[in-house]
Amino acid sequence: MPSFIFLSRGAMDGIGSVAAVCTTVSFLPQLIHVWRRKSARDISLSMFLLFSFGVACWLVYGLGIGSVPITAANAITLALALAILALKLRYDGRQ
Amino acid sequence: MPSFIFLSRGAMDGIGSVAAVCTTVSFLPQLIHVWRRKSARDISLSMFLLFSFGVACWLVYGLGIGSVPITAANAITLALALAILALKLRYDGRQ
């Protein structure tokens, strides 16, 4: 596929870094939201099981190809996704 | 960073593909869950705003480096995340 956006390599790396930080950090407000509300019924169990499995595969992939950014971003995302999953199981069991 | 997992390039590509499919498709059960329950109060608005912005950056990055897998996976994820965001704004406004 040809490149459709004509930016320097440095600009592309910057956009990629912003992308990685945002998609990784975004799970933190969700974790805080569930923690504060003590409720996670609107959150899909299937989503977080499938997502966590996918992120675990990204982690293995990052370790396999020796990529620090892929490994680090997915280790943090996996920890946050598993924490949300744990709170969901805890709060849903009560309701 | 050295490689910590000793698998063939083909096996690594397979794990990366499974990872991409799982993290992309995982937002579909969440969309169906919110649609069926007509409620998204346990879902964090901050998470989906930040996540959607991050995925949009990944999409620009994919287009910029001419990567079909990054562009395709993030186009699908962005569509699903924006649909969840739209349902959240619709249902939360009612409550």
Side-chain angles (χ1 to χ4, degrees):
Chain A
M1 185 172 96
S3 170
F4 287 104
I5 294 169
F6 304 101
L7 291 169
S8 69
R9 186 72 220 183
M12 288 312 304
D13 286 349
I15 291 170
S17 302
V18 169
V21 169
C22 289
T23 50
T24 299
V25 168
S26 66
F27 288 84
L28 190 60
Q30 180 64 72
L31 178 62
I32 295 167
H33 192 80
V34 172
W35 176 262
R36 282 199 185 142
R37 290 178 58 82
K38 312 280 178 231
S39 169
R41 297 190 76 182
D42 297 335
I43 286 174
S44 161
L45 181 64
S46 307
M47 176 196 156
F48 273 83
L49 285 174
L50 197 59
F51 186 80
S52 299
F53 176 74
V55 173
C57 288
W58 275 129
L59 187 58
V60 171
Y61 182 80
L63 288 168
I65 66 166
S67 163
V68 173
I70 295 178
T71 303
N74 286 289
I76 297 167
T77 308
L78 184 61
L80 293 170
L82 289 179
I84 293 166
L85 201 52
L87 286 186
K88 169 155 180 78
L89 293 173
R90 181 176 164 189
Y91 297 139
D92 278 15
R94 274 196 208 154
Q95 286 160 340
Chain B
M1 187 173 97
S3 169
F4 287 103
I5 293 169
F6 303 101
L7 290 169
S8 68
R9 186 72 220 183
M12 289 312 304
D13 286 349
I15 291 169
S17 302
V18 169
V21 169
C22 289
T23 51
T24 299
V25 169
S26 66
F27 288 84
L28 190 61
Q30 180 64 71
L31 179 62
I32 295 168
H33 192 80
V34 171
W35 175 262
R36 281 199 186 141
R37 289 178 57 83
K38 312 278 179 234
S39 169
R41 297 190 76 182
D42 297 334
I43 286 175
S44 162
L45 181 64
S46 307
M47 176 197 156
F48 273 84
L49 285 174
L50 198 59
F51 186 81
S52 299
F53 176 74
V55 172
C57 288
W58 276 129
L59 186 59
V60 170
Y61 182 80
L63 288 168
I65 65 167
S67 163
V68 173
I70 295 178
T71 304
N74 286 288
I76 296 168
T77 307
L78 185 61
L80 292 171
L82 289 178
I84 293 166
L85 201 54
L87 286 186
K88 169 155 180 78
L89 294 173
R90 181 177 164 187
Y91 296 140
D92 278 15
R94 274 197 210 152
Q95 286 160 341

